[in-house]
Amino acid sequence: MQQRTANMALGKSIKMYLTIFVATTCMYMILYQYHISRQPMPQPEIIKPPLYIITPTYRRPEQLAELTRLGYTLKHVANLLWLVIEDANKTSEMVIETLNRIGVPFEYFLAPMPEEYKSKKAKPRGVSNRNRGLSWLMENATEGVFYFADDDNTYDISIFEQMRYTKKVSMWPVGLVTKYGVSSPIVKNGKIIGFYDGWLGGRKYPVDMAGFAVSVRFLHERPKAKMPFKAGYEEDGFLKSLAPLDNAEIELLANNCTEILTWHTQTKKNSPAEKLNMTKYGDTNLVLIDKALVRP
């Protein structure tokens, strides 16, 4: 009798513990499902419009340093293709190695300055390079935005995200330009009423090369657009070739042109390096370093 009573008590205890276990498990499952339901649903990845950065370059002591500085800035910008175009007759292994090391997606082209302009006192530097970039865009791109980013400037990466959504042409201020210290559209009540620049020169668009971006689709609608070989009038000539373009259509970036996010810093010019004394240093590491230096 006692044994039977004990067995019954044990059975009740097991049944109670099983009931508690099942109830607790169900409660945890309910709480887990509630927790999952409160989590935000994963959003599909938004693909940003592509940016095409056209950078003219040429052989000089500062070339690799400036490409490196710009390249590591561009590395922080998504969905970007860097069009590096050199004013030269043959490719530079040092430039290609530098671009590969930085790791930004790039295309590398040559676009030497036409001989007829090399003897001029005021040389239209970078024009053949930029026009080569425009030709590539006409042949290979249909969407996105392009920007002429010289390698001797400094850029806040936020300007790249702002320009990415340009529908036609966008503009913004550029610092460290001329005696005024800035080149910028003059904006009043959200509209361009003129341009502020230390040298107007009779230009319709007295702006700096670093102060505007253009929609690729808009470029396709103006297939004859190009930059003129006229020193000091490159920006003005190119923007005029995008006609018809009304000032009211120009989008104002950098907080309605109240912030400076690009600067025409310009690296200090350096003299070509002296010839390496191979008798003294021919069996040292200087021989390899010497390959990256520019000679007279």
Side-chain angles (χ1 to χ4, degrees), residues 50-54 134 137-138 142-148 163-172 209 211-222 225 227 235 238-243 245 250-251 253:
L51 280 179
Y52 299 96
I53 307 301
I54 300 174
L134 293 175
L137 290 172
M138 293 296 290
T142 56
E143 301 290 340
V145 169
F146 70 90
Y147 176 54
F148 299 120
M163 73 173 74
R164 189 189 295 278
Y165 301 96
T166 298
K167 292 180 174 58
K168 291 185 177 180
V169 176
S170 58
M171 289 187 179
W172 57 89
M209 193 71 70
F212 64 91
V214 181
S215 159
V216 170
R217 180 176 292 184
F218 189 64
L219 176 69
H220 276 280
E221 294 171 356
R222 285 137 177 84
M227 190 166 289
E235 300 95 333
F238 172 68
L239 289 169
K240 286 194 294 188
S241 76
L242 295 175
L245 174 63
I250 298 174
E251 301 154 60
L253 306 186

Side-chain angles (χ1 to χ4, degrees), residues 18-207:
L18 285 173
T19 302
I20 294 173
F21 174 77
V22 171
T24 303
T25 301
C26 291
M27 185 179 297
Y28 275 120
M29 290 179 66
I30 293 171
L31 290 174
Y32 177 75
Q33 291 296 327
Y34 174 76
H35 173 73
I36 292 298
S37 68
R38 298 282 292 178
Q39 298 301 307
M41 293 293 291
Q43 299 297 316
E45 183 180 357
I46 299 176
I47 299 177
K48 297 180 178 181
L51 280 179
Y52 299 96
I53 307 301
I54 300 174
T55 298
T57 189
Y58 65 99
R59 180 72 168 152
R60 62 198 188 281
E62 307 81 28
Q63 182 186 33
L64 299 181
E66 291 182 330
L67 286 174
T68 298
R69 178 178 58 189
L70 174 56
Y72 280 105
T73 296
L74 299 180
K75 198 164 185 175
H76 294 279
V77 184
N79 200 13
L80 175 148
L81 182 62
W82 192 12
L83 305 180
V84 180
I85 309 169
E86 186 159 19
D87 182 350
N89 292 307
K90 62 179 183 179
T91 57
S92 167
E93 290 302 320
M94 295 300 298
V95 169
I96 295 172
E97 288 175 9
T98 298
L99 298 177
N100 280 323
R101 182 171 63 250
I102 294 169
V104 172
F106 73 91
E107 295 284 350
Y108 173 63
F109 310 109
L110 298 180
M113 181 187 297
E115 291 295 329
E116 61 190 285
Y117 300 108
K118 291 183 179 180
S119 60
K120 291 184 176 292
K121 185 176 180 180
K123 297 179 177 61
R125 284 198 181 277
V127 175
S128 59
N129 317 53
R130 297 185 186 99
N131 282 335
R132 177 68 180 87
L134 293 175
S135 296
W136 187 94
L137 290 172
M138 293 296 290
E139 296 170 3
N140 298 279
T142 56
E143 301 290 340
V145 169
F146 70 90
Y147 176 54
F148 299 120
D150 289 352
D151 54 10
D152 61 349
N153 291 343
T154 301
Y155 306 89
D156 185 310
I157 60 172
S158 66
I159 194 61
F160 295 104
E161 293 306 323
Q162 292 184 39
M163 73 173 74
R164 189 189 295 278
Y165 301 96
T166 298
K167 292 180 174 58
K168 291 185 177 180
V169 176
S170 58
M171 289 187 179
W172 57 89
V174 179
L176 303 178
V177 178
T178 74
K179 61 184 179 181
Y180 287 175
V182 67
S183 175
S184 174
I186 302 172
V187 180
K188 186 175 182 179
N189 297 325
K191 297 180 180 180
I192 296 178
I193 61 171
F195 294 91
Y196 186 79
D197 191 278
W199 178 67
L200 298 179
R203 296 180 292 168
K204 180 179 181 180
Y205 299 104
V207 298

Side-chain angles (χ1 to χ4, degrees), residues 188-293:
K188 186 175 182 179
N189 297 325
K191 297 180 180 180
I192 296 178
I193 61 171
F195 294 91
Y196 186 79
D197 191 278
W199 178 67
L200 298 179
R203 296 180 292 168
K204 180 179 181 180
Y205 299 104
V207 298
D208 187 79
M209 193 71 70
F212 64 91
V214 181
S215 159
V216 170
R217 180 176 292 184
F218 189 64
L219 176 69
H220 276 280
E221 294 171 356
R222 285 137 177 84
K224 295 183 179 180
K226 65 178 181 179
M227 190 166 289
F229 284 91
K230 188 176 180 180
Y233 292 84
E234 296 92 338
E235 300 95 333
D236 183 57
F238 172 68
L239 289 169
K240 286 194 294 188
S241 76
L242 295 175
L245 174 63
D246 190 271
N247 282 359
E249 297 177 290
I250 298 174
E251 301 154 60
L252 304 175
L253 306 186
N255 196 15
N256 212 31
C257 290
T258 61
E259 300 173 345
I260 298 176
L261 301 174
T262 62
W263 296 265
H264 195 52
T265 40
Q266 303 182 67
T267 303
K268 172 190 170 184
K269 299 299 180 183
N270 293 270
S271 301
E274 294 183 0
K275 185 177 180 180
L276 182 66
N277 186 331
M278 296 300 292
T279 302
K280 188 174 182 179
Y281 302 111
D283 58 351
T284 72
N285 64 306
L286 299 183
V287 175
L288 295 177
I289 293 176
D290 188 67
K291 294 180 180 180
L293 304 181

